[in-house]
Amino acid sequence: MQNVILELTRIQKEILEIASPQAQVRKIVDSISAVVGTDVCTLYLMDENRDMVLIVSHGLRDTGPIKIPAGLGLVGLVAQSRHSINLARAAAHPRFYYVAGTEEERFQSFCGVPLVRYGKVIGVLVVQSRDANALSPENEAFLVTLSSQLALLVNEIPANGYGALSGNVRIPGVKGSSGVGIGHVQLCDGGELFAVPDSPCTDTAEDIRQWHQLLHTVRLEIEAEQQALGSIISDSIAGIFESYEKLLADPALITRVEAEILAGNWLPGALRKGIQFFSELFMAMEDPYLHARHEDIHHLGNKLYKAFLGMDHAHAQLPEHTGEGLILVGTQVSISDIASLPPGQIAGIVCFEGSSMSHTAVLANALGIPAVMGTGRLKGIHNEERLIVDGNIGQVIRHPNDMLCAEFRQIIDQEKEFQNQLAELRDEAAITQDHIEISLFTNSGLLADLTPGLKNGAQGIGLYRTEIPFMVRDSFPSEEEQVQVYHHVFDVYQDKPVYMRTLDIGGDKQLPYFPITNEDNPALGWRGIRFSLDNIQLLMTQVRAMVRAAQDRHKLNILLPMVSSTSELDTFTELLAEACEQLRIEGYLIHKPRVGAMIEVPAAISQIPFWASRLDFISIGSNDLSQYLLALDRNNARVAGRYDHIHPAVIHEIFRIVNSARQYQLPLSLCGEMASDPMAVILLLGMGIRTLSMSAVKLPRIKWLIRSLSLGQAEAILQRALSLDNVEAIRSLLAIELKQLNADLIK
Ligand code: PEP
Ligand code: MG
């Protein structure tokens, strides 16, 4: 019996090196045929009408496009029954369906296995042989195992197979941030060399040849970059180019990588070892300048690895006449990638991984940039490729033709028009039809997104995520640096309240200079207040900076993230008292801030009665609360489809929080993404929540919604929703209600 994992790894590695989708699927069927030892291997994928489209075949005569109508033949039967069918004589089966022209009559045996992805049949893999022998149980089991992995790979291949490059290739993902963007790809990652594993080298001579080719390619790239920058580059940058060139020509590096390949490691693994060796040499140096050079070596390693992957390094050139922006594309487009460009230039964001709750999506929402997450790796994507990002549906369209672009441009225009109508509400109160005023705040964290909140009529900042200013730096910011950042926030918001959260890193929010790795469960690990209390010097600095920046104004409210036990609150209370005391002694005119806790860990819910006397307010962090209640990682594309903050468990628990806060007279707000989901907002108002904080761009729509409904209506809808036992039913109920309010355009 073959080693499934080894074979799979080999096939996966081989297809990774192939750029075109057609060549990739061909490689897959050829490899399976060889491994299982059959004459034919054919891949069918299900189209939107449930017909089975022959994507590629090893062994069948190529007759052009072939489609087996839904439910027909053995292929249809495999898809319907969702289990494998293994026959010695296919023609004897009553469901046999002969595909004309393929000369299938030459083959007697048939084994079809369904390709299932996240619970849905997406295709069927068929092997056939001339001999009338059913596949051995071992080989059948191998095929079943292989196809469960293949289903994940196939998703990365455009669904219309052969027609993939002819245009309008729709790739499903999950909604990250609503809106539609048309633009040109700017690749943001690809190629973290240090994450590359060792793997056996199948052809040492070929890998050595590729290694020399790679050196040559990158040398030319560096020359071109130097020329393009010309006189603009400073001496220190020119020095880096020189050191790159020296290292590329250094026999020590060249032979080290060669030796690794000859020892049996594949080229990327050998390259990683070679680069790591030099990087560690520099890292061990005491001289700070030389020590820092290990980063340059790491960058060069990544550059070589990207060249190996065939990724383009040039920045996308925007065709001027189209007026289209950039679409940032990457495994996880980082916050620094977004922050490094003016928001107006970014037309969309596409992440191969992640979900709507990733921080990239949260930031995209804040900036009003359409985003699609969890698309899986988009094979062969390159800089400047034109893309449509449809954040309303959660899909990316590759190679869009002009007609489709024109249609999408109309949607963008309609959206703009609706936005203009919404802008007129800017100075109007968020008041329901039965005259109850709701307070609307904005979530913020990037300096760039401070003003949109104000422009959209925010009454203050309901959640200021301080980790973002920490993320876009190379080291922890000093107290003075933090004072400046926070001071600017208070200045912009003048007398409006600001709810500033202490550092909430860990989980999916990592600092480049303080990575928290080696945790099996980062979401349950060293994050939020736990990290801050264990690094009390950082917390003290941050709290001092916040209090100093607010001066004697009464508008600073400190929010504590991820609180799960009373002792965390008590320790923070002592620290805050000490910070205020220190500052007074140092002569600062300050005001002691109000303190509140995020209710985002389920354990916090039942402790609200104990905490009521210790806290001035609470704020529901519905993003984390949902992920912990549902035990669904908000960044895992595999389970993203199951994550929904309208899940009955979540809304019942939030109702419990609201009732508890009311009983203990604790002011309450909600600052997770739920506050910008119109359906959720109806329920939250019905529960009695009167303060919501959301991304600035969503604020006008939510205000529009609040103004078009009465609390009486919201309460009645909530009661009906609370009696339903599943998300789909609740969402359908809310969709009908939104339609009746004529609120369909609010996405
Ligand atoms: C939340 O969890 O709902 C929240 C607002 O915090 P963050 O998304 O920053 O973790
Ligand atoms: Mg949170």
Side-chain angles (χ1 to χ4, degrees):
M1 164 91 177
Q2 302 92 327
N3 181 324
V4 181
I5 302 298
L6 258 183
E7 290 299 340
L8 264 171
T9 316
R10 188 180 58 78
I11 297 173
Q12 274 171 333
K13 194 188 138 207
E14 281 172 359
I15 71 161
L16 262 181
E17 288 164 16
I18 302 172
S20 97
Q22 295 95 323
Q24 282 171 350
V25 280
R26 168 144 303 284
K27 182 82 199 168
I28 290 170
V29 292
D30 288 348
S31 308
I32 293 175
S33 222
V35 174
V36 186
T38 53
D39 299 310
V40 174
C41 179
T42 311
L43 174 68
Y44 295 89
L45 288 185
M46 195 180 267
D47 70 7
E48 57 277 18
N49 304 318
R50 311 189 70 74
D51 295 339
M52 300 305 269
V53 182
L54 189 153
I55 298 293
V56 67
S57 178
H58 167 102
L60 283 189
R61 209 172 86 88
D62 189 355
T63 57
I66 285 178
K67 201 183 257 195
I68 302 181
L72 264 194
L74 291 169
V75 171
L77 187 60
V78 172
Q80 269 175 349
S81 64
R82 289 174 294 178
H83 63 72
S84 52
I85 294 182
N86 188 3
L87 305 168
R89 288 179 198 282
H93 194 282
R95 288 285 291 268
F96 180 72
Y97 172 87
Y98 173 67
V99 182
T102 57
E103 296 178 2
E104 224 185 340
E105 60 276 14
R106 293 175 292 153
F107 308 106
Q108 302 206 57
S109 71
F110 171 101
C111 183
V113 292
L115 258 63
V116 178
R117 187 165 196 272
Y118 302 148
K120 291 205 174 75
V121 175
I122 58 161
V124 171
L125 185 71
V126 174
V127 294
Q128 292 169 280
S129 280
R130 286 195 173 80
D131 308 334
N133 294 324
L135 214 57
S136 70
E138 273 188 344
N139 271 340
E140 184 183 335
F142 176 77
L143 205 63
V144 170
T145 315
L146 200 67
S147 39
S148 62
Q149 298 290 327
L150 183 61
L152 299 173
L153 284 184
V154 162
N155 180 58
E156 298 174 2
I157 294 160
N160 57 350
Y162 280 125
L165 299 179
S166 61
N168 300 347
V169 182
R170 290 167 196 267
I171 318 269
V174 286
K175 297 182 215 173
S177 164
S178 60
V180 171
I182 306 178
H184 299 265
V185 170
Q186 167 78 64
L187 290 172
C188 293
D189 69 1
E192 174 41 65
L193 178 67
F194 286 3
V196 165
D198 290 337
S199 182
C201 174
T202 44
D203 185 343
T204 45
E206 173 56 18
D207 273 22
I208 289 179
R209 191 198 60 75
Q210 265 199 44
W211 166 225
H212 285 272
Q213 178 63 42
L214 218 56
L215 288 166
H216 179 66
T217 311
V218 171
R219 226 174 271 135
L220 292 182
E221 245 178 45
I222 289 173
E223 268 170 32
E225 281 170 19
Q226 244 175 328
Q227 269 177 13
L229 286 173
S231 56
I232 312 167
I233 54 173
S234 65
D235 285 353
S236 57
I237 308 254
I240 293 177
F241 280 120
E242 258 170 47
S243 58
Y244 280 171
E245 280 169 346
K246 274 196 191 131
L247 193 62
L248 287 174
D250 191 338
L253 173 71
I254 298 172
T255 52
R256 184 164 281 275
V257 174
E258 280 177 0
E260 266 297 321
I261 295 172
L262 289 170
N265 205 348
W266 68 318
L267 172 53
L271 177 61
R272 192 203 73 236
K273 286 213 166 148
I275 291 290
Q276 263 172 346
F277 174 82
F278 284 98
S279 162
E280 280 162 16
L281 275 187
F282 279 92
M283 222 187 302
M285 293 186 186
E286 276 178 22
D287 178 287
Y289 178 81
L290 291 175
H291 175 87
R293 301 284 63 78
H294 79 267
E295 289 166 18
D296 299 336
I297 294 171
H298 188 172
H299 288 155
L300 181 67
N302 281 351
K303 211 170 172 56
L304 283 157
Y305 183 47
K306 281 184 189 172
F308 168 82
L309 294 174
M311 297 192 76
D312 197 344
H313 295 269
H315 279 254
Q317 295 293 319
L318 289 178
E320 277 169 23
H321 57 281
T322 63
E324 290 168 358
L326 290 171
I327 310 264
L328 303 185
V329 178
T331 308
Q332 283 199 339
V333 172
S334 74
I335 289 173
S336 347
D337 290 328
I338 301 171
S340 66
L341 278 167
Q345 257 191 32
I346 309 175
I349 294 171
V350 178
C351 293
F352 304 155
E353 294 175 0
S355 73
S356 60
M357 290 298 120
S358 307
H359 272 86
T360 309
V362 171
L363 186 60
N365 264 300
L367 298 174
I369 302 171
V372 174
M373 319 291 292
T375 55
R377 196 162 161 232
L378 302 179
K379 287 283 152 75
I381 191 133
H382 55 83
N383 272 338
E384 291 166 40
E385 181 179 317
R386 200 177 192 200
L387 274 191
I388 295 180
V389 177
D390 184 350
N392 296 334
I393 295 185
Q395 68 171 2
V396 173
I397 305 172
R398 291 185 73 180
H399 316 291
N401 62 27
D402 289 345
M403 226 166 75
L404 195 74
C405 285
E407 272 175 38
F408 272 90
R409 235 174 260 118
Q410 263 185 13
I411 299 176
I412 295 174
D413 291 345
Q414 277 172 4
E415 268 279 310
K416 270 199 191 131
E417 206 181 299
F418 183 56
Q419 289 284 3
N420 291 341
Q421 283 176 25
L422 294 178
E424 288 167 17
L425 293 180
R426 182 193 176 280
D427 296 320
E428 304 292 330
I431 196 154
T432 61
Q433 293 278 318
D434 40 3
H435 314 294
I436 304 293
E437 187 163 354
I438 309 297
S439 303
L440 298 187
F441 286 72
T442 186
N443 292 349
S444 178
L446 253 196
L447 287 184
D449 71 339
L450 279 175
T451 43
L454 274 186
K455 279 197 202 121
N456 288 340
Q459 289 164 261
I461 298 184
L463 168 64
Y464 182 83
R465 291 183 166 99
T466 53
E467 48 281 1
I468 296 181
F470 276 70
M471 279 176 184
V472 295
R473 286 184 159 71
D474 297 332
S475 59
F476 283 111
S478 66
E479 184 175 315
E480 285 308 318
E481 281 174 312
Q482 290 187 57
V483 169
Q484 273 181 25
V485 173
Y486 306 149
H487 203 274
H488 180 65
V489 178
F490 292 123
D491 269 359
V492 172
Y493 273 76
Q494 295 181 359
D495 291 322
K496 296 186 165 62
V498 174
Y499 290 73
M500 220 169 238
R501 189 170 69 183
T502 59
L503 192 60
D504 184 21
I505 56 155
D508 67 328
K509 288 173 278 190
Q510 293 281 345
L511 297 179
Y513 47 86
F514 198 108
I516 301 170
T517 49
N518 297 332
E519 289 194 319
D520 283 344
N521 266 315
L524 307 182
W526 212 27
R527 47 169 309 194
I529 194 74
R530 303 166 188 174
F531 173 87
S532 296
L533 291 175
D534 286 349
N535 290 281
I536 200 108
Q537 77 290 6
L538 298 178
L539 184 61
M540 181 56 105
T541 306
Q542 183 172 37
V543 168
R544 283 175 51 99
M546 286 179 178
V547 175
R548 274 181 59 194
Q551 296 167 332
D552 57 345
R553 298 177 278 204
H554 289 246
K555 54 191 202 169
L556 170 63
N557 303 273
I558 296 184
L559 243 179
L560 305 176
M562 300 290 300
V563 182
S564 58
S565 63
T566 310
S567 63
E568 290 161 346
L569 293 182
D570 290 342
T571 313
F572 181 79
T573 308
E574 280 169 28
L575 178 136
L576 176 64
E578 195 189 322
C580 290
E581 185 55 23
Q582 287 173 6
L583 291 171
R584 281 199 195 97
I585 293 172
E586 288 166 36
Y588 290 102
L589 210 55
I590 56 148
H591 187 272
K592 191 161 180 271
R594 294 165 77 234
V595 177
M598 300 275 296
I599 304 295
E600 54 183 349
V601 178
I605 303 175
S606 46
Q607 297 183 86
I608 292 173
F610 305 131
W611 296 353
S613 60
R614 294 172 161 89
L615 293 172
D616 298 304
F617 61 91
I618 53 176
S619 188
I620 302 174
S622 57
N623 307 340
D624 275 315
L625 186 63
S626 307
Q627 93 158 337
Y628 293 127
L629 280 172
L630 302 174
L632 283 170
D633 178 355
R634 62 186 194 163
N635 289 307
N636 182 342
R638 288 191 186 146
V639 290
R642 290 181 159 89
Y643 180 101
D644 194 328
H645 48 223
I646 277 185
H647 191 288
V650 179
I651 60 174
H652 280 268
E653 286 305 297
I654 292 186
F655 199 24
R656 194 152 78 93
I657 299 170
V658 176
N659 288 330
S660 195
R662 192 180 290 133
Q663 190 184 344
Y664 291 93
Q665 294 173 4
L666 202 51
L668 163 83
S669 65
L670 185 141
C671 62
E673 292 301 296
M674 236 178 151
S676 37
D677 173 352
M679 293 192 182
V681 166
I682 298 181
L683 302 179
L684 299 175
L685 297 183
M687 291 179 195
I689 293 187
R690 299 289 176 264
T691 305
L692 296 169
S693 187
M694 67 205 75
S695 46
V697 70
K698 294 289 168 60
L699 209 143
R701 292 158 198 256
I702 297 301
K703 187 188 276 188
W704 188 93
L705 173 69
I706 291 169
R707 290 173 60 90
S708 33
L709 122 154
S710 75
L711 274 190
Q713 274 173 307
E715 281 160 6
I717 298 170
L718 172 72
Q719 284 315 318
R720 283 162 62 203
L722 288 173
S723 70
L724 298 171
D725 64 6
N726 66 83
V727 175
E728 293 73 22
I730 302 173
R731 285 232 175 249
S732 320
L733 163 76
L734 293 165
I736 295 168
E737 296 297 337
L738 279 178
K739 199 159 183 66
Q740 280 174 1
L741 291 168
N742 274 331
D744 315 26
L745 246 186
I746 306 190
K747 293 194 184 85

